[in-house]
Amino acid sequence: TVVNDHDFPSHGNGFVIPHGIYDVSRNEAALHLNTSHDTTAFACESIELWWREQGQAVYPKTDELLILCDGGGSNSSLKYLFKEDLQALSNRLNLKIRIAHYPPYCSKYNPIEHRLFPHVTRACKGVPLECLETAKFYMAKTETTTGLNVVVRIIDKVFETGRKYAKSFKENMKIQFDEVLPKWNYTAIPQPG
């Protein structure tokens, strides 16, 4: 296979969008791949898939999750659509979901950035990722000397772009904002359906 030594999106036939969840205490990760769009729905579906297939089994008695998020992207602290999708996820899972966003330009301090993604990149080094299954195969080979375990799944779904949060959500949302740095720290509490 002939490949370029740099990425040129204009020459590509597609792209892979990864969404990762890294469990700091267990040195385990879930990496979900999609080829649609990086949306709030994709971020929340990724969290739900991790919880149902991994998290719930290892934390059966928990009633609250703490998720460290970067400040931008699909799970941006500024997006009410993320908060609305997060509230719906909290309701479906019947879990409190506490979010702590890193301030802008501080994502380098997020453990996922130095404990997962560099190792995933290394596992794919020099490999032409010609299809989603190839990306999944090599990403699943990610390992470290400290025993990092990575489970890779494909979420084969088209995520809609251009969605807007419900007009009444901002006024009626049940998200509880922290007293300290409420812009970046808040909790979705499950609501009776």
Side-chain angles (χ1 to χ4, degrees):
T1 302
V2 177
V3 295
N4 293 319
D5 64 349
H6 287 79
D7 289 334
F8 296 98
S10 61
H11 294 201
N13 295 328
F15 53 89
V16 174
I17 302 163
H19 191 277
I21 297 163
Y22 176 66
D23 185 334
V24 177
S25 65
R26 298 180 59 85
N27 197 27
E28 293 180 350
L31 195 57
H32 301 116
L33 309 178
N34 185 268
T35 57
S36 175
H37 301 283
D38 184 18
T39 66
T40 63
F42 176 42
C44 288
E45 187 155 327
S46 183
I47 294 166
E48 182 171 8
L49 184 59
W50 169 81
W51 175 250
R52 293 196 188 279
E53 295 192 0
Q54 287 173 262
Q56 195 169 24
V58 294
Y59 302 109
K61 295 182 181 180
T62 194
D63 64 349
E64 184 171 1
L65 297 176
L66 168 63
I67 300 176
L68 307 176
C69 295
D70 290 344
S74 59
N75 52 312
S76 169
S77 62
L78 302 176
K79 290 187 178 178
Y80 281 97
L81 183 57
F82 176 63
K83 291 174 180 69
E84 183 178 45
D85 286 348
L86 186 71
Q87 183 63 62
L89 176 61
S90 173
N91 295 347
R92 281 194 309 275
L93 299 180
N94 195 31
L95 282 173
K96 289 181 186 176
I97 303 176
R98 181 166 161 59
I99 300 292
H101 287 281
Y102 285 88
Y105 308 106
C106 292
S107 63
K108 64 186 173 190
Y109 298 109
N110 190 337
I112 200 169
E113 295 297 337
H114 48 88
R115 292 189 181 175
L116 175 63
F117 285 121
H119 306 296
V120 170
T121 301
R122 188 180 66 245
C124 297
K125 188 175 180 180
V127 177
L129 302 177
E130 295 176 332
C131 67
L132 199 54
E133 289 73 21
T134 301
K136 177 185 177 190
F137 176 80
Y138 284 98
M139 289 178 182
K141 290 178 163 270
T142 302
E143 60 182 15
T144 64
T145 57
T146 59
L148 173 65
N149 180 36
V150 180
V151 175
V152 183
R153 294 179 190 86
I154 295 172
I155 298 178
D156 190 21
K157 183 175 179 180
V158 175
F159 290 97
E160 179 185 349
T161 59
R163 289 176 49 228
K164 306 283 185 209
Y165 62 88
K167 291 182 181 183
S168 61
F169 176 75
K170 195 172 177 181
E171 293 79 32
N172 301 320
M173 72 177 157
K174 303 299 183 196
I175 301 282
Q176 289 185 349
F177 292 89
D178 288 12
E179 288 183 25
V180 176
L181 300 172
K183 178 179 175 181
W184 297 323
N185 301 299
Y186 49 87
T187 304
I189 298 172
Q191 302 298 309

